[in-house]
């Protein structure tokens, strides 16, 4: 008889989300980050939102015992790809140095959960062995 991998849900840090901040299944962490600031607001252009979303992603993965260097797959949901892709990619290159970049998928969307949001990312990452 096999046993199921343990599953841990880390609550969203704002307390207002409809899902867990991060879910860990076995040795994988699944998480999504949106570009909210400390007060829960979304402000700024695509460059500032890209930087904020990747900072939040890093914080969530660190809390889960992982990190940006452990991401296996990243999905980027981006509004208005022709206008925003280059600015997102410039920030991405700064935050994710060559050699640490995961497989990624860029998806163009008409809108995200909040009208002021321009980007959202979802990651699957390996958890570090303790």
């Amino acid at each position: 008889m096999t046993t199921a991998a343990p599953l841990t849900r880390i609550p969203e840090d704002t307390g207002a989300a409809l899902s867990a901040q991060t879910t860990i299944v076995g040795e994988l962490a699944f998480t999504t980050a949106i570009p909210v600031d400390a007060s829960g607001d979304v402000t700024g252009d695509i460059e500032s939102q890209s930087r904020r979303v990747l900072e939040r992603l890093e914080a969530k993965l660190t809390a889960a015992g992982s990190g940006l260097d452990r991401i296996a797959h990243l999905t980027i949901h981006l509004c208005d790809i022709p206008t925003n892709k280059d600015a997102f990619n410039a920030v991405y290159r700064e935050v994710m140095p060559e050699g640490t970049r995961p497989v990624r998928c860029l998806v163009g969307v008409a809108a995200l959960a909040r009208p002021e949001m321009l980007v959202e990312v979802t990651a699957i990452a390996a958890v570090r062995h303790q």
Side-chain angles (χ1 to χ4, degrees):
M1 180 164 135
T2 60
T3 58
L7 186 138
T8 304
R9 296 185 200 284
I10 301 172
E12 175 60 51
D13 55 0
T14 64
L18 298 175
S19 66
Q21 175 174 331
T22 303
T23 299
I24 301 168
V25 180
E27 296 184 1
L28 293 176
F30 299 81
T31 194
T32 297
I34 61 173
V36 295
D37 61 20
S39 63
D41 294 326
V42 177
T43 59
D45 60 8
I46 186 59
E47 183 177 339
S48 62
Q49 286 193 30
S50 297
R51 194 167 307 284
R52 194 173 313 118
V53 81
L54 292 172
E55 288 168 356
R56 286 187 52 82
L57 179 63
E58 182 175 28
K60 289 178 172 200
L61 290 174
T62 298
S66 187
L68 294 177
D69 63 325
R70 305 286 294 162
I71 298 172
H73 189 271
L74 183 69
T75 302
I76 303 138
H77 299 90
L78 190 65
C79 291
D80 193 1
I81 285 180
T83 302
N84 294 325
K85 180 177 72 170
D86 290 342
F88 176 84
N89 283 336
V91 173
Y92 180 82
R93 282 186 194 96
E94 287 177 35
V95 175
M96 301 289 289
E98 199 169 329
T100 66
R101 296 179 189 149
V103 172
R104 68 177 227 177
C105 176
L106 177 62
V107 179
V109 296
L112 291 162
R114 293 172 59 176
E116 63 275 23
M117 284 175 37
L118 301 172
V119 61
E120 179 175 355
V121 296
T122 300
I124 301 170
V127 176
R128 296 186 203 299
H129 290 284
Q130 303 298 338

